[in-house]
Amino acid sequence: MKMTLIAGSNRKAATSTILLRYVESLLKAQSLSVTFVDLQELPLPFFTPDNQELHPNVQHLLDTVADADGLVLATPEYHGSVSGVLKNALDYISAGQVSGKSVLSVSSAGGPMGVSSLLHLQSIVRNLHGVNCPEWISIGYGSNSFGPDGAPLAGGMRGRIEGAVGNFVELTRMLAIGAAAAAK
Ligand SMILES: Cc1cc2nc3c(=O)[nH]c(=O)nc-3n(C[C@H](O)[C@H](O)[C@H](O)COP(=O)(O)O)c2cc1C
């Protein structure tokens, strides 16, 4: 199975991106194929419906999303919502690239939790006809520091992340099996 991970911050030391790298390590430990798209390293022009010619960075994003069985979207909590760079990236994506695929949403907040951004993210996923993972991951102050191995230091947080990632992988597997059976 192929997973595409999108880091939705353009801040160099973004905790949401460090968290997503940890999710990546858990997926790779299961020998899954992972493509990591970091929007800090892959800047995208502002989306416009008028733009007919796609920037190569946009094309790369769309190719990796279309190729994936499952997606993980990471965002910092900005004013109770997702970051502008992630929303901009998602505006390029259409339902045909996401429909029926599992999507795990993760966030990092300055407050205790980033639930508003996660709700907004899940609403966008629903509008792209993706299948929201029943679990999500939110880190906030007190839980957004990481050890040298990239794992969160907060007690219990690592287990919750591992549980959510495990459920996401299982959902992706079930949807992939269902899609393959329907295609026969
Ligand atoms: C423009 C802006 C808006 C923010 N709005 C919120 C907010 O509404 N709620 C919150 O808990 N934190 C808010 N924060 C703090 C960030 O969520 C927090 O610093 C988070 O850890 C950033 O993630 P990052 O490390 O991936 O950049 C905001 C930060 C910025 C820059």
Side-chain angles (χ1 to χ4, degrees):
M1 286 194 303
K2 297 178 188 169
M3 307 297 196
T4 290
L5 279 51
I6 302 176
S9 173
N10 58 359
R11 189 168 81 82
K12 281 201 178 87
T15 50
S16 50
T17 303
I18 299 170
L19 172 62
L20 195 62
R21 284 286 179 195
Y22 182 58
V23 170
E24 178 188 34
S25 73
L26 297 176
L27 294 172
K28 284 186 169 172
Q30 298 191 40
S31 302
L32 295 164
S33 167
V34 180
T35 301
F36 197 100
V37 178
D38 185 343
L39 295 175
Q40 198 271 323
E41 294 171 355
L42 192 86
L44 308 180
F46 274 127
F47 172 79
T48 166
D50 285 337
N51 193 356
Q52 297 301 309
E53 195 157 320
L54 291 179
H55 188 282
N57 289 359
V58 174
Q59 194 60 60
H60 174 71
L61 171 80
L62 298 183
D63 289 346
T64 59
V65 169
D67 198 35
D69 298 298
L71 305 171
V72 187
L73 307 176
T75 184
E77 177 102 355
Y78 279 178
H79 301 324
S81 190
V82 303
S83 67
V85 292
L86 182 60
K87 180 63 168 68
N88 184 54
L90 294 172
D91 284 345
Y92 278 105
I93 295 170
S94 51
Q97 293 144 352
V98 180
S99 183
K101 295 179 181 177
S102 61
V103 185
L104 174 64
S105 296
V106 315
S107 79
S108 172
M113 289 188 84
V115 168
S116 294
S117 59
L118 292 173
L119 285 170
H120 292 183
L121 210 39
Q122 289 206 336
S123 174
I124 294 167
V125 168
R126 196 194 65 77
N127 280 279
L128 286 170
H129 300 188
V131 180
N132 280 303
C133 188
E135 293 194 45
W136 58 30
I137 300 169
S138 170
I139 58 169
Y141 70 79
S143 66
N144 59 1
S145 47
F146 299 83
D149 59 350
L153 291 173
M157 182 54 76
R158 283 189 299 280
R160 286 201 292 280
I161 294 171
E162 283 165 21
V165 170
N167 287 349
F168 163 68
V169 171
E170 191 51 35
L171 177 64
T172 308
R173 204 182 306 280
M174 288 191 306
L175 291 172
I177 291 169
K184 276 186 186 166

